[in-house]
Amino acid sequence: PVMVEMREKLRGVSPRHRAKQFVVPIGTDPAAPQYDLQTIHRFEICYVGHLREGQGVDFLLKIFPRILARVPKASLLLLGGGEKEKMLRDLARQLGITTHVRFTGFVESEEEVQELIAHAAIAIAPYEDTSDNFTRSRFL
């Protein structure tokens, strides 16, 4: 609901588009296929979303060397594309972490997205908690 409200308020999106929008619950999908624990990539952290301002992916990349210092096998899977993708790829290069970071770009197949998410050990949503960021939680 915050995303809908903020798109209208900050981006000027007309309320007439609300009929095309719906809010989905956050959590697991009990109907999703179950995978054996041995198929989980134990050290993989996964982000899914638009690579744009306010998503916090640049912050995630900046702290990733600290994660690697403690967990050398850690890897980061970034599912999605967007206007910041090139800048984020460059940042990963500057930080010397490209061998641990995989950018997929936009993934068209929802099934492929679900498959990739299902095998990651951790999913992360590092959204920036600012009043103008419509992807933040109302409760942050």
Side-chain angles (χ1 to χ4, degrees):
V2 173
M3 292 174 72
V4 172
E5 177 186 323
M6 297 306 274
R7 271 195 292 265
E8 291 172 2
K9 180 179 174 183
L10 299 174
R11 302 254 167 105
V13 174
S14 172
R16 69 185 163 92
H17 294 293
R18 279 193 181 196
K20 296 180 182 178
Q21 299 174 0
F22 57 96
V23 176
V24 295
I26 296 173
T28 59
D29 179 1
Q34 300 296 307
Y35 296 96
D36 190 88
L37 284 177
Q38 279 66 31
T39 69
I40 302 300
H41 305 150
R42 291 185 54 213
F43 302 101
E44 186 172 74
I45 300 168
C46 179
Y47 165 83
V48 180
H50 196 163
L51 300 180
R52 65 167 180 78
E53 201 63 43
Q55 298 300 86
V57 179
D58 49 344
F59 170 75
L60 180 56
L61 288 173
K62 288 174 185 173
I63 66 164
F64 202 66
R66 291 174 58 191
I67 294 170
L68 285 171
R70 296 189 103 171
V71 185
K73 292 181 180 181
S75 65
L76 185 57
L77 174 62
L78 301 176
L79 286 160
E83 62 266 14
K84 285 186 76 173
E85 185 174 348
K86 182 185 179 325
M87 184 280 293
L88 294 168
R89 286 177 182 271
D90 290 342
L91 179 58
R93 251 188 309 282
Q94 291 166 13
L95 294 168
I97 59 174
T98 56
T99 58
H100 297 274
V101 180
R102 183 171 131 204
F103 288 86
T104 65
F106 177 73
V107 178
E108 195 164 323
S109 163
E110 181 67 25
E111 292 79 21
E112 184 179 353
V113 170
Q114 293 301 324
E115 182 77 15
L116 290 165
I117 293 170
H119 293 286
I122 299 170
I124 189 165
Y127 303 137
E128 295 175 9
D129 184 23
T130 59
S131 61
D132 62 340
N133 187 358
F134 63 80
T135 54
R136 70 181 171 81
S137 168
R138 173 185 306 267
F139 305 105
L140 289 177

